[in-house]
């Protein structure tokens, strides 16, 4: 796999992973009934 | 009057008109400092990107890409943009929850400490005044170049334009003009990219030509140009450099006052998260387009000197006059939006955090409120006058000031900002000495480098050494200091989720942003593979075959 292909995939992957993580975090923090969000 | 002069004057008049409109709605201190804490996602997103992308993005970084290092700028962007997400989730939304007027006021409330607020305020004055100076010089340079105005007139014009609307309208005007400027420079850079690619013979021809470009070999290879002619000798050196600086600037994005203070204006915590998601998408796209476009300019004119003038050359020689004028206005807009944010923050810090009471409780009476509003405007004018004095008197050093001023906050505030929310062990003493140490180490190392005594290796970048030193100072000083009950109670209160943030409909809207990010990520990866990686690989393989054919 060439460096250029890795760069192309990594650039998109940054957004994909950040999107998945933020979705999980929002669900965890704002849908959980526990008032204290420290975890 | 030529098209460029007319375009610049018209755009400045538009910003003043928008500032005037927004200023009429400023009635209270909260309107002026934090835009009434009622800003929707689009305005926070606009001001986040506009205040981060200054003239440096279209001048300095575009010049770096023209010289053959676009992929390094792209790799850096990958890392530093993640600062938006990390910053919003682990610091920004708690900052908003504090309902303070400024970021130093948050530190005061969290640690029950006036000295921390004073020090954070002083670091804003030092760092952002320097940044404001650099941006003012950058904009004046562009105006001088394209209009023929003399330097003093250009500096005065730039200064007057951002000072007038910021002074009158405060944050209400700044976020509105920032968003207009964000739309302007984003739109025109995309249009410019089409013209550049068209002039270079179309997309695939351009990729093929750049892949085999003899004058600057490796110009769009994943590591950019390397070798004895440039700073990076090997591809791994280049990768490490871009990654370390990317992480360092990611901390800047996550905690710097000119980014996080935007969250204080957000309508809700969900707006904080959504705008951070939007800023990440916008920055990744804008940097990709701008820097690949700048690299492609080589195929049209390989001899632009200095390289920093690449986009100015494009505006003057490649685009039709009207579009060229809009491009210049877009580049200036990037500078003006940063300048107005810096000026407002320095003014707020002087009037509220350093000279004022520094608490929000004192501003309840209407008369007192008006008095503080006046004090903030006077402070802003005084700061503006100092900056213009310095801009006219000092020798120009845009690059160094930018490199010094931005990262200063990562070193000084980075550790303390995150620990203020997430650590039970950090004490007032730890926070104060952590800030002071990070600030001192960063300034000291930069001063030694500027004086020519030492050239720091990239692994010992002053930003990162400052962050590590700050953390060590926090740990040591927190062992000796006491944990105050007020500070602990405040920290616990920060983690209490406000009931209004749990509305299922609003949560659903926020989750749409995460889905958009995933979809955009897949699209970008696919587009970069089909339109960059594969044609690049084919062009290189073809060139190698031809070379082998010649040899045999």
């Amino acid at each position: 796999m060439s460096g250029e292909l890795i760069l192309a995939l990594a650039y998109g992957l940054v957004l994909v992973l950040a999107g998945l993580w933020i979705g999980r975090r929002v669900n965890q923090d704002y849908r959980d009934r526990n008032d204290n969000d420290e975890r | 009057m030529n098209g460029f002069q007319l375009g610049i004057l018209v755009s400045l008049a538009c910003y003043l008109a928008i500032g005037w409109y927004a200023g009429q709605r400023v009635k209270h201190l909260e309107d002026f400092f934090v835009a009434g804490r009622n800003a929707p996602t689009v305005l926070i997103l606009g001001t986040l990107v506009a205040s981060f992308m200054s003239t440096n993005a279209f001048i300095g970084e575009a010049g770096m890409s023209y010289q053959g290092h676009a992929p390094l700028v792209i790799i850096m962007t990958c890392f530093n943009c993640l600062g938006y997400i990390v910053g919003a989730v682990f610091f920004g939304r708690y900052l908003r929850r504090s309902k303070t007027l400024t970021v130093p006021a948050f530190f005061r409330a969290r640690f029950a400490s006036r000295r921390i607020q004073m020090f954070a305020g002083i670091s804003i004055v030092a760092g952002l005044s320097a940044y404001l100076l650099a941006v003012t010089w950058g904009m004046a340079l562009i105006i001088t170049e394209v209009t023929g105005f003399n330097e003093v007139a250009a500096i005065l014009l730039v200064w007057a334009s951002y000072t007038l609307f910021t002074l009158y309208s405060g944050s209400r005007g700044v976020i509105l003009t920032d968003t207009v400027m964000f739309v302007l420079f984003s739109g025109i850079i995309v249009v410019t990219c089409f013209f550049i690619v068209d002039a270079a013979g179309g997309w695939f021809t351009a990729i093929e030509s750049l892949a085999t470009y003899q004058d600057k070999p490796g110009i769009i290879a994943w590591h950019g140009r390397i070798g004895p002619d440039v700073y990076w000798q090997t591809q791994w050196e280049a990768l490490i450099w871009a990654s370390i600086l990317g992480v360092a600037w990611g901390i800047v994005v996550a905690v710097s006052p000119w980014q996080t203070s935007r969250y204080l204006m957000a309508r809700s915590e969900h707006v904080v998260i959504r705008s951070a998601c939007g800023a990440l998408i916008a920055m990744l796209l804008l940097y990709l387009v701008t820097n690949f476009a700048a690299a492609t300019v080589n195929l049209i004119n390989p001899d632009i000197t200095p390289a920093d003038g690449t986009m100015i050359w494009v505006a003057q020689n490649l685009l039709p006059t009207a579009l060229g004028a809009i491009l210049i206005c877009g580049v200036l807009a990037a500078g003006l939006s940063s300048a107005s944010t810096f000026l407002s923050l320095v003014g707020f810090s002087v009037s509220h955090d350093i000279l004022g009471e520094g608490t929000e409780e004192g501003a309840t009476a209407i008369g007192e409120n008006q008095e503080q509003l006046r004090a903030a405007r006077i402070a802003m004018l005084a700061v503006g006058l100092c900056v213009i004095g310095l801009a006219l008197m000092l020798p120009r050093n845009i690059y160094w000031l930018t490199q010094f001023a931005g990262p200063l906050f990562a070193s000084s505030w980075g550790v303390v900002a995150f620990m203020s929310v997430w650590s039970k062990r950090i004490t007032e003493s730890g926070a104060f000495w952590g800030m002071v140490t990070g600030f001192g180490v960063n300034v000291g190392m930069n001063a030694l480098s500027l004086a020519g005594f030492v050239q720091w290796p990239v692994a010992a970048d002053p930003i990162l050494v400052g962050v590590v030193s700050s953390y060590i100072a926090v740990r040591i000083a927190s062992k000796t200091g006491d944990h105050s009950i007020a500070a602990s109670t405040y920290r616990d209160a920060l983690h209490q989720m406000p009931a209004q943030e749990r509305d299922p409909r609003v949560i659903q809207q926020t989750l749409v942003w995460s889905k958009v990010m995933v979809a955009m990520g897949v699209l970008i990866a696919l587009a970069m593979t089909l339109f960059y990686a594969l044609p690049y690989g084919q062009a290189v393989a073809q060139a190698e075959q031809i070379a082998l054919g010649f040899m045999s």
Side-chain angles (χ1 to χ4, degrees), chain B residues 121 124-125 345-356 375 379-380 382-383:
Chain B
I124 284 184
V125 173
L345 288 177
V346 176
F348 297 160
S349 271
V350 170
S351 66
H352 188 69
D353 301 316
I354 301 172
L355 300 178
M380 226 177 258
V383 169

Side-chain angles (χ1 to χ4, degrees), chain B residues 212-377:
Chain B
T212 53
Y213 194 57
Q214 291 302 316
D215 286 353
K216 294 171 186 168
I219 185 170
I220 58 163
W222 70 267
H223 44 71
R225 271 176 79 199
I226 47 175
D229 300 341
V230 294
Y231 181 70
W232 306 273
Q233 304 308 305
T234 67
Q235 52 195 25
W236 300 113
E237 239 180 72
L239 178 66
I240 292 168
W241 180 88
S243 307
I244 288 180
L245 277 192
V247 170
W249 275 92
I251 305 173
V252 175
V253 168
V255 301
S256 68
W258 75 93
Q259 294 286 282
T260 53
S261 63
R262 317 289 87 188
Y263 298 137
L264 287 168
M265 305 171 199
R267 185 181 286 165
S268 70
E269 284 179 26
H270 289 276
V271 168
V272 170
I273 294 170
R274 291 174 205 161
S275 55
C277 295
L280 174 62
I281 298 172
M283 293 277 282
L284 286 176
L285 289 174
L286 277 174
Y287 268 84
L288 194 63
V289 170
T290 308
N291 291 290
F292 267 104
T296 310
V297 175
N298 276 286
L299 302 176
I300 307 158
N301 180 0
D303 301 314
I304 299 172
T305 312
D308 285 358
T310 302
M311 285 300 169
I312 296 177
W313 182 88
V314 169
Q316 288 181 310
N317 299 286
L318 187 64
L319 297 178
T321 309
L323 283 180
I326 297 174
L327 176 60
I328 294 298
C329 293
V331 176
L332 284 177
L336 280 172
S337 53
S338 303
S340 59
T341 299
F342 299 159
L343 178 65
S344 60
L345 288 177
V346 176
F348 297 160
S349 271
V350 170
S351 66
H352 188 69
D353 301 316
I354 301 172
L355 300 178
E357 287 284 310
T359 55
E360 276 73 54
E361 289 84 20
T364 44
I366 292 175
E368 216 168 332
N369 216 315
Q370 292 304 317
E371 206 169 294
Q372 288 193 23
L373 203 54
R374 201 176 312 120
R377 284 184 168 132

Side-chain angles (χ1 to χ4, degrees), chain B residues 408-449:
Chain B
L408 187 62
F409 296 97
S411 299
S412 181
W413 292 23
V415 170
V416 175
F418 288 121
M419 289 182 83
S420 68
V421 177
W422 296 99
S423 171
K424 285 181 180 169
R425 286 188 294 185
I426 186 171
T427 61
E428 186 275 341
S429 176
F432 179 74
W433 289 110
M435 271 190 183
V436 172
T437 306
F439 186 95
V441 168
N442 187 307
V443 172
M445 286 178 75
N446 272 315
L448 286 174
S449 167

Side-chain angles (χ1 to χ4, degrees), chain B residues 146 161 309 324 395 434 531:
Chain B
V146 299
S161 53
F531 294 101

